[in-house]
Amino acid sequence: GENVGLHLPTLSVQEGDNSIINCAYSNSASDYFIWYKQESGKGPQFIIDIRSNMDKRQGQRVTVLLNKTVKHLSLQIAATQPGDSAVYFCAEKSGNEKLTFGTGTRLTIIP
Amino acid sequence: DGGITQSPKYLFRKEGQNVTLSCEQNLNHDAMYWYRQDPGQGLRLIYYSQIVNDFQKGDIAEGYSVSREKKESFPLTVTSAQKNPTAFYLCASSINPTGGYGYTFGSGTRLTVV
């Protein structure tokens, strides 16, 4: 079946640098994508979403890029802070289907 | 404040016991979901409900049961038939199952078999 996956299971970034977390998806019919942040022992929190009619969306210190040609999604975090350390999940859905979640990438911010 | 509340935060189960995890939301969301998360793993769907008095099995429903008698509540029972229940359980809700919206998650229940 179709699935969502991540390129990198772990990522370490120096505090203050920018980080990029990548996600590959295989369902070409996916039309909605979300990034979640999950801190240890907590539930996932919504970060940012994007629909398939867009290729870029910006939030506060975060940017999501969507490349439908290669079915790739990325989350950019600017000027990383210690509080950004967490596991980041991408998720996608197609039409009326449920969200499908990726495995996650652990982001560690080095002081 | 609207939100989704899971209780208890930690739960210990003896072998052969059934336990029930609570999930309540005051977001007026139609759809609710239960996920299981194992260490270092992603989210696996156990059960979901799109409307009151209706629910469907997810990918790993064996050994679990649910009910949806009220819109606000979607309790999950982990039965003795679930052979490896130790995990982190997450409940989520969404406005409706067909809209292009994300899910709101609870803070989770960590279940441990002792």
Side-chain angles (χ1 to χ4, degrees):
Chain A
E2 313 238 46
N3 56 69
V4 176
L6 295 175
H7 291 303
L8 299 172
T10 61
L11 178 65
S12 296
V13 175
Q14 202 75 34
E15 182 178 352
D17 286 352
N18 298 336
S19 67
I20 300 175
I21 300 171
N22 296 302
C23 180
Y25 66 94
S26 56
N27 184 357
S28 56
S30 292
D31 55 10
Y32 181 67
F33 304 86
I34 307 175
W35 280 101
Y36 285 95
K37 172 186 179 183
Q38 186 179 24
E39 297 175 270
S40 181
K42 297 183 179 180
Q45 293 177 292
F46 171 90
I47 302 174
I48 192 167
D49 60 359
I50 189 168
R51 297 188 185 277
S52 58
N53 61 353
M54 303 172 68
D55 53 20
K56 179 179 180 179
R57 190 161 188 229
Q58 289 184 289
Q60 188 177 13
R61 283 201 307 118
V62 294
T63 300
V64 55
L65 299 177
L66 176 62
N67 186 331
K68 294 182 286 295
T69 302
V70 296
K71 294 196 282 288
H72 185 267
L73 188 71
S74 68
L75 176 70
Q76 300 178 359
I77 305 174
T80 53
Q81 304 167 357
D84 294 330
S85 292
V87 175
Y88 291 81
F89 293 93
C90 67
E92 55 90 17
K93 72 182 295 187
S94 169
N96 296 342
E97 298 298 314
K98 299 177 298 299
L99 278 177
T100 300
F101 291 87
T103 304
T105 293
R106 181 174 300 281
L107 176 65
T108 301
I109 306 304
I110 304 167
Chain B
D1 263 348
I4 182 166
T5 302
Q6 290 186 241
S7 62
K9 188 171 177 65
Y10 299 96
L11 186 57
F12 297 90
R13 192 194 93 168
K14 292 183 179 179
E15 296 277 355
Q17 272 186 339
N18 292 355
V19 290
T20 298
L21 284 59
S22 171
C23 179
E24 303 278 333
Q25 54 98 0
N26 60 3
L27 300 165
N28 200 33
H29 284 177
D30 289 316
M32 297 186 74
Y33 312 83
W34 273 106
Y35 288 89
R36 170 179 172 141
Q37 186 176 36
D38 293 284
Q41 303 293 315
L43 305 177
R44 292 188 290 169
L45 183 64
I46 305 172
Y47 268 98
Y48 65 102
S49 168
Q50 298 180 331
I51 196 170
V52 174
N53 292 322
D54 186 48
F55 49 82
Q56 287 80 40
K57 292 182 179 179
D59 301 319
I60 55 164
E62 185 175 352
Y64 301 97
S65 66
V66 293
S67 63
R68 186 85 188 276
E69 297 176 2
K70 298 186 300 181
K71 187 175 185 178
E72 301 80 17
S73 180
F74 191 40
L76 173 74
T77 297
V78 184
T79 74
S80 56
Q82 171 49 240
K83 298 307 178 189
N84 184 22
T86 295
F88 190 52
Y89 290 86
L90 287 161
C91 180
S93 67
S94 64
I95 293 175
N96 63 67
T98 61
Y101 298 103
Y103 299 172
T104 301
F105 283 88
S107 55
T109 292
R110 187 166 299 280
L111 174 63
T112 304
V113 173
V114 295

